[in-house]
Structures are given as C-alpha cells and as structure tokens.
Amino acid sequence: MCVSLAVLLVFSCAKNPFTGKNTLALVPNSEILPSAFAQYGTFLKENKVISGTSDANKVVTVGTKIKNAAEKWLNANGYQGYLKDYKWEYNLVDSKEVNAWCMPGGKIVVYSGILPITKDDAGLATVLGHEVSHALANHGQQRMSAGMLQQLGAVGVVAATGNKSAETQQIAMTAYGATTEIGGMLPFSRSHESEADQIGLTLMAIAGYNPEEAVVFWSRMSAVSAGKAPPEFMSTHPSDATRIANLKRLVPVAKAEAAKFGVYFK
C-alpha cells in the first residue's frame, strides 16, 4: 500500500507556473472543470444575478483586466495556452454576504454585499485578483487531492485499530481527524490564501491597479470583521494582521513585476 501511495503521489503532481511548486493533482482538470462549469450554471439559476448596472459592468471590466494580466504574464513566461480550457465568466449576485469566489476554470461570482467595502475599481481588483488566483493556482484541485489523502489515511487508521475496542477506535479516529485538520488541512488552506494574495497582487499591478490599494482594502475588511474571526490556527484564512503584513512586504515585488510590462507606480 505504501509503495502504491508513493507511486500515486509521484505521478499525480503538477508544476504550477504561478507558484513554481509541484502540487497534488490526484483529480485531473479534465474532470474538475466540466463539473465546476455545471455547478456554476446551477448556482446562477438559483440566485439573483444583477446585470446591466454600472456595478455589474464594473465587475466584468475589472475581471477582464485581471484575466488579461494573467494571460500577459503566462505568455511572457513561456506558458502560452495554459488557460485554453478556462471559460471566463463574471457575475454580480444580489446578496448581503460579504464575499466573492472563483470556481476552477474561471467562473467568478461577486456578491453585492462586498461592494461597499471594495469602494472603487482598485478595491474590486484586489478581490478579483485574489479569487482568480485561486483558480490559476489550481487550489481547488489541490484541496480535492488533499481530501482524498485524508480519507485514505482514515482508512489506514481503521485498519490499524481493527482489533481494538470500539472506544479505542473512536479515540484514534477523533485524534486523527483533529490532527490532520489543525495540523494539515487548515495550514494547507491558509497557505493557499497567502498564495492567492501574492499572485493576485501581481496581477492587479500588471492590470494597472496600484498594489498598495490591496493593503487599504484589507484594512477596511479588517475593520468590518473585527472580533468575528477565530484564532488563526483554527481558521482557513490567515489573520487580517498577518495578511496585511504580508501584502505590505509584497507590494514592491508586485510593482517590480508590473514594471516588466511597462506599468509603473509612484
């Protein structure tokens, strides 16, 4: 079993151009993307999509600039055709929820509840750059792969404790679940958020939006969510303080990358 697992991991990795990392790819995008597109279509049918307004048009305009920035970066770095299976779509949905997301393959939703916090194009570019980056870095694929490994590990725990009492088996499974969640899955998710921040910052800069505005946006977001977030080690996201500190550190890097494309900021 261990040999089979090792072989599976070796042949189920993919190098992502945006991060330079070899990442788990136990489920191919050829399976993930059609499913994601279908789910997105179902979501739009079941929710109120806002179209034709200035806000809806802004979501499309800013989102398209972020997508174009990603294509520019990929083409300049020798990854032509990387996005050939993506089917970009941007929709504003009527909801008080302060949120936005991007499904694998470039299917994007922005909830109207986040617009008072984004305030302007640069704030919206911060959000869209981050969400698009999740799709570009194949974070959905990685989470699915990690979940499969977590389930496989649980099977191993069951096998290892099969001759123990029911109470011992339950204790072992509880311990395994807590350890893999807090020690594995949650840090894994937080690392994805930080990667999306970094990639998104670069994309918004290449698209012409000052990356310093990302710090301003997350400061506004922090004020709105103050006191509501769990401790960082129990969260899928970095704390606001960690995120803002990282963004401040990465702003000069994003500006330098944008300068390669003829985009300059003071």
Side-chain angles (χ1 to χ4, degrees), residues 109-160:
V109 160
V110 175
Y111 291 124
S112 57
I114 202 171
L115 296 183
I117 304 174
T118 59
K119 288 187 178 296
D120 53 28
D121 286 10
L124 185 57
T126 301
V127 172
L128 288 173
H130 174 91
E131 298 302 337
V132 164
S133 295
H134 278 306
L136 296 175
N138 285 328
H139 286 160
Q141 181 186 59
Q142 292 176 52
R143 284 194 297 272
M144 290 179 66
S145 299
M148 291 172 66
L149 291 180
Q150 187 182 39
Q151 292 175 8
L152 186 60
V155 172
V157 172
V158 171

Side-chain angles (χ1 to χ4, degrees), residues 22-33:
N22 287 321
T23 58
L24 280 175
L26 299 180
V27 184
N29 275 334
S30 59
E31 294 182 18
I32 294 174
L33 298 191

